[in-house]
Amino acid sequence: MNSTNLTQDQNPYKDVTADIVFITPEMAAEMVSHNYENNRQIIKSNLRDISKMMKNNQFVLSPDALLFDASGVLLNGQHRTTAVVETGLGQWFLVLRNVSHDIGNVVDTGKSRTMSDRINFRGVDMTRKECSTIRHALCDVSSPTVGTMQYSKSYQDDFVAKQFLKFRDFFRSVESNNFTGPAFNPFFLATALKIYAEMRFKEEKGASFLHNMSAFERAKHWIEITTLGTSQTNMYHPTYDGAANRAYHAKKEKRESSPGAGFWNDCPSLRKSVNAAYKFMLGESVNRNLVAITNDPFVSLVELPPTCPKYIAANGEAN
């Protein structure tokens, strides 16, 4: 509702109550037990900082209120209430009750909510790594930035969530294969998604590939080789799989040439990943010097049809 059109008689906050309350550990535990189920995960470093402030008698009353909806569900304040429970030290808080549930998209608890936090709050279960992966897969490689920078604003949340849900079957397969740890680079996961989505599309159009692998088999093969330097599932074929091996060594060479700073996380690295992944999808070889391309040869994920059965059942096959 536009506040410029409101009158005093149209107050949308008439049921909201505001009080300054001393929250005991017992009260905080009860609040935490009613935490919103899709709230962001507890950030341990944030919790430690708040607990330390409480133990050092540095925690003071904040205008950042504890928020509860009409059902008593905690919408904002999980870190602070958890800190009260863990330290056993009661604190004074501003408490607002009967607030609108969508307040979670604008509140802050001392540390800005990430895109995955905001999307989770809306009811879409997405890890931070999945969120970075889908954004890198959507990245415009002609831009000098990576996907997490191109897609970071709250107004982009719905778009990113939709693209994630379109290909959620890929992410669940990644999870079931334990490709979720820190060893698995988001750029290689993102390009694996691009391989999977485009191969699924082309397979349905009757296309065939030199390597004779299915879409997820090929994506999985790519992830294993780029991460481990070899495949644990399928036999390595130098003619068809060399592009993944070249990407693996490019990442390794960067790390070794720049100790402490050679991370595979910048724009040139993403461009090289996309270049190698496309050739790998086709089963083509790659030159020794892997080029950081600026024109993405893949079909944009936005233009590809969904592959997730649940999404298709709810929304149809249109992209």
Side-chain angles (χ1 to χ4, degrees), residues 171-234:
F171 288 97
R172 292 298 166 259
S173 295
V174 165
E175 182 180 18
S176 66
N177 281 274
N178 296 316
F179 294 154
T180 56
F184 296 93
N185 185 277
F187 288 176
F188 292 147
L189 293 176
T191 43
L193 169 57
K194 290 165 78 72
I195 291 170
Y196 172 75
E198 186 154 333
M199 280 189 64
R200 282 285 302 270
F201 172 68
K202 290 184 174 180
E203 285 170 349
E204 292 177 4
K205 297 293 184 180
S208 60
F209 297 87
L210 295 173
H211 45 72
N212 292 319
M213 300 177 77
S214 69
F216 189 73
E217 283 177 337
R218 197 61 178 164
K220 181 179 180 181
H221 201 42
W222 164 261
I223 294 171
E224 290 182 345
I225 297 172
T226 54
T227 303
L228 307 172
T230 185
S231 176
Q232 294 184 331
T233 306
N234 293 283

Side-chain angles (χ1 to χ4, degrees), residues 246-302:
R246 187 67 201 97
Y248 168 79
H249 283 287
K251 177 177 179 287
K252 182 179 179 181
E253 289 162 7
K254 184 179 183 185
R255 183 175 65 248
E256 292 174 348
S257 64
S258 303
F263 300 109
W264 199 253
N265 61 3
D266 56 11
C267 182
S269 299
L270 178 57
R271 290 171 172 174
K272 290 179 181 180
S273 300
V274 171
N275 185 10
Y278 188 74
K279 291 182 180 297
F280 181 82
M281 180 185 73
L282 299 178
E284 296 180 353
S285 60
V286 65
N287 295 330
R288 178 171 177 78
N289 294 320
L290 188 57
V291 177
I293 59 173
T294 56
N295 292 314
D296 193 341
F298 282 98
V299 177
S300 169
L301 280 187
V302 179

Side-chain angles (χ1 to χ4, degrees), residues 68-92:
F68 297 86
D69 68 12
S71 299
V73 174
L74 176 65
L75 302 179
N76 184 54
Q78 63 170 340
H79 285 82
R80 288 168 290 163
T81 49
T82 301
V84 169
V85 174
E86 292 192 358
T87 62
L89 300 171
Q91 305 289 339
W92 288 97

Side-chain angles (χ1 to χ4, degrees), residues 51-73:
S51 297
K52 184 176 180 180
M53 291 174 63
M54 291 180 178
K55 291 176 181 178
N56 293 339
N57 200 31
Q58 296 174 327
F59 189 85
V60 296
L61 182 68
S62 168
D64 186 16
L66 303 184
L67 302 180
F68 297 86
D69 68 12
S71 299
V73 174

Side-chain angles (χ1 to χ4, degrees), residues 125-198:
D125 182 16
M126 176 193 292
T127 67
R128 293 187 178 189
K129 193 159 196 173
E130 289 172 337
C131 191
S132 64
T133 297
I134 187 65
R135 288 183 286 170
H136 291 317
L138 292 165
C139 181
D140 175 6
V141 297
S142 67
S143 170
T145 57
V146 297
T148 48
M149 296 182 67
Q150 291 182 24
Y151 297 95
S152 61
K153 307 300 182 183
S154 58
Y155 68 84
Q156 298 170 314
D157 291 355
D158 287 341
F159 171 76
V160 172
K162 176 184 176 181
Q163 301 307 313
F164 170 76
L165 292 173
K166 281 173 56 179
F167 306 105
R168 197 172 194 172
D169 58 317
F170 168 82
F171 288 97
R172 292 298 166 259
S173 295
V174 165
E175 182 180 18
S176 66
N177 281 274
N178 296 316
F179 294 154
T180 56
F184 296 93
N185 185 277
F187 288 176
F188 292 147
L189 293 176
T191 43
L193 169 57
K194 290 165 78 72
I195 291 170
Y196 172 75
E198 186 154 333

